[in-house]
Amino acid sequence: MTDTPNIENDHFRDIDSDRLFANDASAHAPRILLLYGSLRDRSFSRLMTEEAARVLTRFGAETKTFNPSGLPLPDDAEADHPKVQELRDLVSWSEGMVWCSPERHGAMTGIMKAQIDWIPLSLGAVRPTQGKTLALMQVNGGSQSFNAVNQLRILGRWMRLLTIPNQSSTPKAFLEFDDNDRMMPSPNYDRMVDVMEELVKFTLLTRGRKDYLVERYSERKETGEALIKRVNQRAG
């Protein structure tokens, strides 16, 4: 059962338990970036994000929230646009993220998607999202739905984020917040707390070894082949 002639042994690695179970030497608080998907004056995705940030802080995390107002549409500005740079710097700073979108027309909002589309898979030699954790939430104007979080989960996988299993979907969000824009006690609030607790646990568990967790045979092989090709080039 170990006959694998298609594998190139020079690039195959046994699982390294020392690296996989190494103690995380990081002493700082987990760094969590929160994104929301609505620009309304009373945006329930923003209010939900603010509640999540409070809970994350209670769990010992450091949080930053990106305000998408003023962010240009993807490809409608250069990457040096101040709002694009702000977003990308925050993503690079973070060790985990929370994405919270309203559901509009059965999907995430364009505002939410635009933020994700401005986050590149690579910045030079750095992959700003790969191996970081991600938690997903959505708010609904009507009955319970999971369309937005399901789409966000696909995007999280595409961005090579470690998307945690739990997620939050809040129906009739306009009934969940009081006149002071604070979320009232409810099973929906409890579910949000569950998601943030799980996010912090997964972030603490993986951040010190994320580079090893996403290291892959195929990329070692590709890099090795590129090196051989470069070394064997004839002098011009």
Side-chain angles (χ1 to χ4, degrees):
M1 296 297 291
T2 58
D3 182 21
T4 52
N6 293 331
I7 287 180
E8 296 188 10
N9 292 326
D10 288 345
H11 308 298
F12 185 81
R13 302 284 186 275
D14 291 329
I15 302 300
D16 188 338
S17 297
D18 290 338
R19 293 183 67 188
L20 185 60
F21 299 112
N23 291 327
D24 181 9
S26 303
H28 61 266
R31 298 168 179 163
I32 307 297
L33 170 63
L34 298 97
L35 308 180
Y36 59 90
S38 170
L39 297 178
R40 291 177 176 175
D41 288 340
R42 195 170 190 239
S43 162
F44 293 109
S45 62
R46 176 178 57 81
L47 296 181
M48 177 69 83
T49 296
E50 290 173 356
E51 292 292 344
R54 294 182 182 101
V55 173
L56 287 166
T57 302
R58 180 79 181 268
F59 280 123
E62 179 184 0
T63 67
K64 295 185 180 181
T65 302
F66 177 72
N67 180 352
S69 180
L71 181 72
L73 289 172
D75 302 325
D76 197 33
E78 298 298 324
D80 60 358
H81 187 283
K83 289 297 290 189
V84 176
Q85 283 300 305
E86 178 189 354
L87 174 61
R88 292 184 174 187
D89 288 346
L90 287 171
V91 172
S92 296
W93 164 85
S94 70
E95 295 169 322
M97 287 191 280
V98 178
W99 294 350
C100 181
S101 178
E103 181 171 316
R104 183 173 297 168
H105 297 165
M108 77 181 80
T109 62
I111 295 166
M112 190 78 240
K113 184 62 162 55
Q115 293 174 81
I116 298 169
D117 284 347
W118 271 119
I119 303 171
L121 287 174
S122 63
L123 285 169
V126 178
R127 288 173 171 164
T129 56
Q130 179 167 285
K132 298 181 180 183
T133 54
L134 173 65
L136 305 174
M137 301 193 296
Q138 76 170 74
V139 293
N140 307 290
S143 58
Q144 185 86 319
S145 173
F146 299 93
N147 290 326
V149 287
N150 287 340
Q151 292 176 330
L152 290 169
R153 190 168 291 276
I154 292 171
L155 285 172
R157 184 173 70 243
W158 184 259
M159 301 297 285
R160 297 180 175 179
L161 289 153
L162 301 173
T163 309
I164 67 171
N166 212 344
Q167 60 188 25
S168 168
S169 175
T170 301
K172 297 182 180 178
F174 60 93
L175 297 177
E176 297 291 327
F177 293 86
D178 62 22
D179 293 339
N180 295 315
D181 288 338
R182 293 301 305 272
M183 194 172 185
M184 295 180 288
S186 72
N188 292 313
Y189 180 86
D190 293 346
R191 183 60 175 262
M192 179 272 293
V193 176
D194 289 347
V195 175
M196 295 307 108
E197 180 180 1
E198 188 171 291
L199 176 64
V200 173
K201 289 177 180 176
F202 272 78
T203 304
L204 289 170
L205 187 65
T206 60
R207 67 176 181 176
R209 53 189 64 88
K210 72 178 184 67
D211 291 339
Y212 181 60
L213 288 171
V214 297
E215 184 183 297
R216 288 180 292 279
Y217 163 78
S218 62
E219 292 189 347
R220 290 194 299 268
K221 177 182 173 185
E222 181 182 9
T223 301
E225 290 173 346
L227 176 62
I228 292 172
K229 183 177 180 180
R230 179 173 60 81
V231 171
N232 290 338
Q233 283 181 340
R234 294 181 178 179

